[in-house]
Amino acid sequence: MTLEVGVLGYRFMGKAHANAMARLPMFFPDAPDVERHVLVGRDEDALADAADRLGFENIATDWADVVDEVDVFYNLGPNHVHADPSIAALEAGTPVLCEKPLANDLESAERMADAAESAGVPTAAAFNYRYVPAIQYAKNLIESGEIGEIHHFRGQYLQDWLVDPEAPWSWRNDAEMAGSGALGDLGAHTIDLARFLVGDVARVSGHLRTFVDERPVDGGDEARPVTVDDAYSAQAELEGGVMATLEASRFATGHKNDHSIEIHGSEGSLKFSLERLNELEVLRGDDRGYETILVTDESDPYVEHWWPPGHVLGWEHTFVHENYEFLSAVESGDEHHPDFHDGLAVQRVLAAIQESDERGEWVEVN
Amino acid sequence: MTLEVGVLGYRFMGKAHANAMARLPMFFPDAPDVERHVLVGRDEDALADAADRLGFENIATDWADVVDEVDVFYNLGPNHVHADPSIAALEAGTPVLCEKPLANDLESAERMADAAESAGVPTAAAFNYRYVPAIQYAKNLIESGEIGEIHHFRGQYLQDWLVDPEAPWSWRNDAEMAGSGALGDLGAHTIDLARFLVGDVARVSGHLRTFVDERPVDGGDEARPVTVDDAYSAQAELEGGVMATLEASRFATGHKNDHSIEIHGSEGSLKFSLERLNELEVLRGDDRGYETILVTDESDPYVEHWWPPGHVLGWEHTFVHENYEFLSAVESGDEHHPDFHDGLAVQRVLAAIQESDERGEWVEVN
Amino acid sequence: MTLEVGVLGYRFMGKAHANAMARLPMFFPDAPDVERHVLVGRDEDALADAADRLGFENIATDWADVVDEVDVFYNLGPNHVHADPSIAALEAGTPVLCEKPLANDLESAERMADAAESAGVPTAAAFNYRYVPAIQYAKNLIESGEIGEIHHFRGQYLQDWLVDPEAPWSWRNDAEMAGSGALGDLGAHTIDLARFLVGDVARVSGHLRTFVDERPVDGGDEARPVTVDDAYSAQAELEGGVMATLEASRFATGHKNDHSIEIHGSEGSLKFSLERLNELEVLRGDDRGYETILVTDESDPYVEHWWPPGHVLGWEHTFVHENYEFLSAVESGDEHHPDFHDGLAVQRVLAAIQESDERGEWVEVN
Amino acid sequence: MTLEVGVLGYRFMGKAHANAMARLPMFFPDAPDVERHVLVGRDEDALADAADRLGFENIATDWADVVDEVDVFYNLGPNHVHADPSIAALEAGTPVLCEKPLANDLESAERMADAAESAGVPTAAAFNYRYVPAIQYAKNLIESGEIGEIHHFRGQYLQDWLVDPEAPWSWRNDAEMAGSGALGDLGAHTIDLARFLVGDVARVSGHLRTFVDERPVDGGDEARPVTVDDAYSAQAELEGGVMATLEASRFATGHKNDHSIEIHGSEGSLKFSLERLNELEVLRGDDRGYETILVTDESDPYVEHWWPPGHVLGWEHTFVHENYEFLSAVESGDEHHPDFHDGLAVQRVLAAIQESDERGEWVEVN
């Protein structure tokens, strides 16, 4: 059986997932057979070019024609397009992978999770950083108790592409289309890793900040308002009383894609940075300092599929692992995580942080 | 003229300041002459031993006898002993250096600052990390505009000496004697650096946490309650709208004395870590990454007094610089910072963080 | 036109090059069309499996049947199989890419370079580390004069897979099959980067060492002699009087694939480490310390083909770049470097290091 | 009893040792009482100033008047002044500490070691880096077998103060006064650490290089020839067959005082860098990466004398430890290492490296 995949979106994420699917046969021979069946978009010419380059058999300009004809549907569009096509696909019984954050707002995310529940098919909220071998390694350490009882979780996601006030306006600066700014785009990843590695978020205190209020539209005289946050910070209490501090910015000069996680437990500590994603810093037991582990041994998560020890992987490999896991679940019918319920759980935290910022007080996450 | 110095406290801080004074003549020949005149404490035998080792001429068991007879008074006792002797000294017209945090509570700090105001003599709130050459270097970069307009300040102070629940109870675990825990002991340093490098704190949202509620008394069967925080975090807005995140813990397994500061501005970024205190990471202008600067050149702050480039300094040198600056101000009568007003400003932030934690909402700092 | 490629070797390097060819269409749309036409090996069953997984149309068990029927021939076999098939291909006018080191011994390498000269077709000596973006970036800095006149080149390649004396014997431990040990396998890469970045090697003083004299044959009682070096070091003078120190080991406990390069010039310095291959440490002009540059900007070599800034690449990407450059040269008929003459130049240095070790004195490289 | 110390030399090393002696009473209460009795030099005015600042009771312009009147003699002059005063002191039965390298040439060093042998009093060759706590910690790890059998030793000492061809001529550029350049000044430290941590040097192959042949005399029109090396490299075999690579340069742009040591053994590896002297990177047993140990715990060598964990030491503390050990040996009459025989052993290696460079072949070290 070959899974026919329909993909909405052909830019950055379209390329990342198309590449991931293309690489499965050589490196994950037990993955299901996949056909990049149809690429969906609005601009027919750009779409045809992209389909050719990304290896899709067909193109379509209306997702409604696609969602019930494919075996799997990937929703890689902007945040405000996440809900409707995903729900339509689920209503047609089609498994769906949706990019993060799950939705623009909590209500949409809830509808999506409900649709997933009703459909009873696998879904994926595309938090690809769970699939970094070093993160899986960290997860295993925590689950085996080597870090002990967790006291602290710290997550930062630093970028700098908006620090120039002349950087052009894009849909990511618009609350209607993006829901939020650094919070949803970057913070969603951090919150997902907090949930994955440590546990659910019980309550939060959030702080949002927009440093530049309007930005020029590219190639024109117009300026449009920035209606989302340029940066957020949050304090949180995770289940079990873990203290968490979360932060993201698009104004962290010099940082391109710097997502870092630090965890302190009663028996050890962990540090991870996305820009050095092959490494995990681990302190445990009688260690006096962090051990810098290059997570590229054959015994490390996913590594045996790739190269010998010390031959490092890149960012894109996380998508291969993600596609492998999700498509395998689609084939087998097994449960898959992170699914739309995980996406909803993250969305609840995002919403609570925004609400906390507005109210100036702590907010419980339900 | 020789300044006769009276020092209350002969343990960790007593040793650090005695050493600092002892080293001035060889390395800071223009510093005032100083006599370690009298060491003050309660246990006469221990005191005599310490005075001998630390080079004091005399000992005294009552600070009241000392504060008006010396030229300078150093208050290095536990936090709850900061107010009365310091105020008495100031009322006698004696300049005072007091260890941080300035006081146990805001009311005491206000009384101390009032006394300083009335006395009109130099005072010092002993925030020694201002005197790290790399921090002075950072200050100069910021003041010269090389980092641009500041958007983010991030400060963490991580230790781990309480992560073991059997670690013994001490005065630092007691609200009566210490005022607060990690917040006042460690966070005071971070807040002072935020003020020194960036600006005053306008409002805060704080989070305090005590992980272990009681601890055994050393050498006995008794356990005593822990009435202060083991860790705190805070979000803050500094003047000018700078976003700040602050955090300290005594439960950060593997970290001994890890005070780190990160700053992002419109033109650059800075990173500092106390455990590598000879280094400053600087990104500015067209730089694409941080430049790791070893701040040991002759032209760097205070360095010409010491050794050639690359011959690194240690933690204790900050006290030599601090003593040099304060004692020079005492001799000249010039203003000195950080003084008791700076100490009070930090105390206001500490109090606001505690109040915010209790109320669950943001608190303005007046 | 589609280039039909024949590949000898289907293990580690076979997989690396097959993957590289497979990825060209999506990421390098101007690369020539390539067909993985035939995979060559001896074990027919293993070969058929590999061809299926690696995407080859056909298999063949005799390279002699292949070399004149394909448009390009890749020789990825053990070192002692490099000469004959490569020469046969060249005699048939077929462009050849050959894995490094070019040959087992100097005489074979000379025959290969002569054959390349006679054939007048593009050849490639597969020194893939030239194709790391950070190395290309370093090359550009040096060529633009930003590092000034070079004084020092330092190269180390550290692995540890033989430190266990019970690690099994393999062809890499045998002088007949491998020519040399760490010297040829690892040192060849370092020497190629010295030539690429700085200049030719004029004279050398070498030191070879075998720590374990025989090793068990896997799955048997037999032990076989180790007839190659476990580690080498060399001092060298490069053209223009540059001092160089070179070193490689398979006994560097804890190091998996740690190839590091350091260069000091009159105006700056550079540092690179393969295990953090997205980074280059650069010091130039008035810099006081190394700037850690993440070489993932769109303007960086090859990066625009891949992902946005901060989305790091892996080891395998060097092969994609290498295949792109070589296959483009095959299509266009343009010159390509590193070619067999470059491979021969490296082989001369390898031979001189061995000769120097035997004679105990410096040896000129001709 | 108070030891009266006479010190020849009042610049960099004079200050370092005077400071060390001054600090003993406060931090090493069991050290002998020391009086900085007399400072020896030629320029009476400068000498008087220095004596005042460095705390000496007297001055003298002829060392011959001093060596038999003091309890201990410190020879901190330029290399060509090491032999005669040290020998005179020893002939008078006075214990001697002499800065490194022990002498200008092998013959002088032999005479000095002979004089020490005849005198039967403690001597010190002032290799202060043995006294870095992290180096002592490394020594303990190696001696306890935790690193296993050593295979590799690698030492580099990088500075850059001569990379500017206009940097002025000094005695350190003159073979008559300095013996050699980077080799003796920097390499002597590396060779001493090789001997201290691993073992004696059996044979060497050396390479010396002078990049700039003459330099301007400061404040004049004259230029003087540079008759020593600007940089050296060496390959060596240590006892037991350990491979060693050694290197030092005064042309390593951007490096101020960067002395690094790396050791690979059958069970582990170690890394140390002087510019981060509080840290040791340790890999052992089942570790997969280096653990960055902050060697500032109370249980670490010498640390209990100083400050709590995480309160880092500086370069100068090595001199305090060195003075403590040597002066304690003088008081007790116990043997002390590194002594003049250790200094001679290093000098033999320096001489062998020079001879090897001249002859172009390996040289045995006797």
Side-chain angles (χ1 to χ4, degrees), chain B residues 23 276 279 312 315-316, chain D residues 23 276 279 312 315-316:
Chain B
R23 304 192 67 190
R276 288 180 176 168
E279 302 176 15
V312 298
W315 168 84
E316 65 181 63
Chain D
R23 305 191 67 192
R276 289 179 176 169
E279 301 176 14
V312 298
W315 168 85
E316 65 182 63

Side-chain angles (χ1 to χ4, degrees), chain A residues 66-199:
Chain A
V66 166
V67 293
D68 59 350
E69 289 191 350
V70 293
D71 299 314
V72 192
F73 180 65
Y74 280 31
N75 190 336
L76 315 178
N79 303 351
H80 70 292
V81 188
H82 285 183
D84 291 349
S86 297
I87 291 169
L90 288 166
E91 286 173 351
T94 307
V96 180
L97 174 151
C98 183
E99 266 304 325
K100 38 57 58 182
L102 191 59
N104 240 8
D105 51 54
L106 186 52
E107 183 272 337
S108 300
E110 281 167 346
R111 285 195 296 122
M112 292 169 75
D114 287 347
E117 186 75 20
S118 304
V121 294
T123 55
F127 293 114
N128 62 304
Y129 296 145
R130 289 197 186 192
Y131 299 99
V132 175
I135 291 291
Q136 297 269 334
Y137 189 94
K139 170 79 167 168
N140 292 342
L141 284 175
I142 292 168
E143 292 209 330
S144 67
E146 296 218 41
I147 309 303
E149 182 189 353
I150 307 298
H151 295 119
H152 291 284
F153 176 92
R154 193 177 303 120
Q156 294 162 358
Y157 205 141
L158 304 181
Q159 299 186 340
D160 71 355
W161 56 284
L162 286 184
V163 72
D164 178 359
E166 298 305 309
W169 189 93
S170 76
W171 69 268
R172 291 188 182 278
N173 295 118
D174 186 80
E176 292 299 310
M177 283 189 273
S180 63
L183 174 62
D185 184 27
L186 307 179
H189 276 302
T190 312
I191 294 161
D192 182 64
L193 288 186
R195 292 186 69 248
F196 181 57
L197 294 171
V198 180

Side-chain angles (χ1 to χ4, degrees), chain B residues 12 15-19 22-23 25-27 29 36 53-55 129 157 159 256-257 274-279 292 294 296-297 304-317, chain D residues 12 15-19 22-23 25-27 29 36 53-55 129 157 159 256-257 274-279 292 294 296-297 304-317:
Chain B
F12 181 22
K15 189 175 171 186
H17 286 280
N19 174 58
R23 304 192 67 190
M26 199 179 286
F27 294 91
R36 282 160 273 162
R53 202 172 61 252
L54 301 180
Y129 295 146
Y157 204 141
Q159 299 186 340
K256 295 306 169 197
N257 197 32
L274 184 62
E275 291 180 349
R276 288 180 176 168
L277 63 79
N278 292 278
E279 302 176 15
T292 305
L294 195 64
T296 59
D297 279 3
E304 66 176 330
H305 292 274
W306 299 104
W307 313 107
H311 295 72
V312 298
L313 299 183
W315 168 84
E316 65 181 63
H317 294 80
Chain D
F12 181 22
K15 190 175 171 186
H17 285 281
N19 174 58
R23 305 191 67 192
M26 199 178 287
F27 294 91
R36 282 161 272 162
R53 201 174 60 253
L54 301 179
Y129 296 146
Y157 204 142
Q159 300 185 340
K256 295 307 170 198
N257 197 31
L274 183 63
E275 291 180 348
R276 289 179 176 169
L277 63 78
N278 292 278
E279 301 176 14
T292 304
L294 195 64
T296 58
D297 278 3
E304 67 175 329
H305 292 274
W306 299 105
W307 312 107
H311 295 73
V312 298
L313 300 183
W315 168 85
E316 65 182 63
H317 294 81

Side-chain angles (χ1 to χ4, degrees), chain C residues 19-40:
Chain C
N19 174 59
M21 284 184 267
R23 305 191 67 190
L24 286 174
M26 198 178 286
F27 294 91
F28 289 78
D30 66 328
D33 289 334
V34 175
E35 185 191 295
R36 282 161 272 160
H37 186 66
V38 55
L39 190 63
V40 185

Side-chain angles (χ1 to χ4, degrees), chain A residues 23 276 279 312 315-316, chain C residues 23 276 279 312 315-316:
Chain A
R23 305 192 66 190
R276 288 180 176 169
E279 301 176 15
V312 297
W315 168 84
E316 66 182 62
Chain C
R23 305 191 67 190
R276 288 179 176 170
E279 302 176 14
V312 297
W315 168 85
E316 65 181 64

Side-chain angles (χ1 to χ4, degrees), chain C residues 48-356:
Chain C
D49 279 359
D52 185 48
R53 203 173 59 251
L54 302 178
F56 284 81
E57 303 287 324
N58 308 288
I59 62 171
T61 54
D62 188 348
W63 53 260
D65 298 339
V66 167
V67 293
D68 59 351
E69 289 192 349
V70 292
D71 299 315
V72 193
F73 180 64
Y74 279 31
N75 189 336
L76 315 178
N79 303 351
H80 71 291
V81 188
H82 284 183
D84 291 350
S86 297
I87 291 170
L90 288 167
E91 286 173 351
T94 307
V96 180
L97 175 151
C98 183
E99 265 303 326
K100 39 57 53 182
L102 190 61
N104 240 7
D105 50 55
L106 186 51
E107 184 272 336
S108 300
E110 281 167 346
R111 286 196 296 123
M112 291 169 76
D114 286 348
E117 186 75 22
S118 304
V121 294
T123 55
F127 293 114
N128 62 304
Y129 295 146
R130 288 197 185 194
Y131 299 99
V132 176
I135 291 292
Q136 298 268 335
Y137 189 93
K139 171 79 168 171
N140 293 343
L141 284 175
I142 292 168
E143 292 209 329
S144 68
E146 295 217 42
I147 308 304
E149 182 189 353
I150 307 297
H151 295 121
H152 291 284
F153 177 91
R154 194 176 303 120
Q156 293 163 357
Y157 204 141
L158 304 181
Q159 299 186 339
D160 71 355
W161 55 285
L162 286 184
V163 71
D164 179 358
E166 298 305 309
W169 188 93
S170 77
W171 70 268
R172 290 188 182 277
N173 296 119
D174 185 81
E176 292 299 311
M177 282 190 273
S180 64
L183 174 62
D185 185 27
L186 308 179
H189 276 301
T190 312
I191 294 162
D192 181 64
L193 288 186
R195 292 187 68 249
F196 180 58
L197 294 172
V198 180
D200 269 323
V201 180
R203 60 192 196 97
V204 296
S205 164
H207 187 200
L208 271 64
R209 184 89 169 76
T210 305
F211 293 107
V212 169
D213 289 332
E214 64 174 26
R215 291 186 174 276
V217 175
D218 219 359
D221 295 336
E222 196 194 352
R224 285 199 202 153
V226 174
T227 53
V228 299
D229 56 291
D230 289 326
Y232 90 98
S233 70
Q235 301 171 105
E237 193 173 302
L238 309 189
E239 58 180 351
V242 177
M243 280 185 87
T245 54
L246 312 172
E247 187 173 353
S249 179
R250 293 161 168 174
F251 271 67
T253 302
H255 296 255
K256 295 307 169 196
N257 197 32
D258 185 7
H259 192 198
S260 64
I261 300 293
E262 298 178 8
I263 292 171
H264 306 301
S266 58
E267 307 295 326
S269 290
L270 299 173
K271 294 200 283 188
F272 170 78
S273 166
L274 184 61
E275 291 180 350
R276 288 179 176 170
L277 63 78
N278 293 277
E279 302 176 14
L280 186 69
E281 296 194 69
V282 177
L283 182 149
R284 59 193 147 168
D286 294 330
D287 288 355
R288 290 180 49 183
Y290 287 87
E291 179 187 344
T292 304
I293 296 181
L294 196 64
V295 189
T296 60
D297 278 3
E298 205 184 329
S299 59
D300 289 325
Y302 298 115
V303 175
E304 67 175 329
H305 292 274
W306 299 104
W307 313 107
H311 295 74
V312 297
L313 299 183
W315 168 85
E316 65 181 64
H317 294 81
T318 61
F319 286 82
V320 186
H321 307 160
E322 181 179 59
N323 276 260
Y324 169 68
E325 298 290 0
F326 177 58
L327 293 167
S328 297
V330 168
E331 188 182 48
S332 68
D334 290 349
E335 209 174 342
H336 172 264
H337 288 283
D339 65 6
F340 276 21
H341 290 282
D342 294 298
L344 172 59
V346 170
Q347 201 83 33
R348 286 199 171 110
V349 181
L350 299 176
I353 289 171
Q354 282 186 297
E355 186 187 338
S356 165

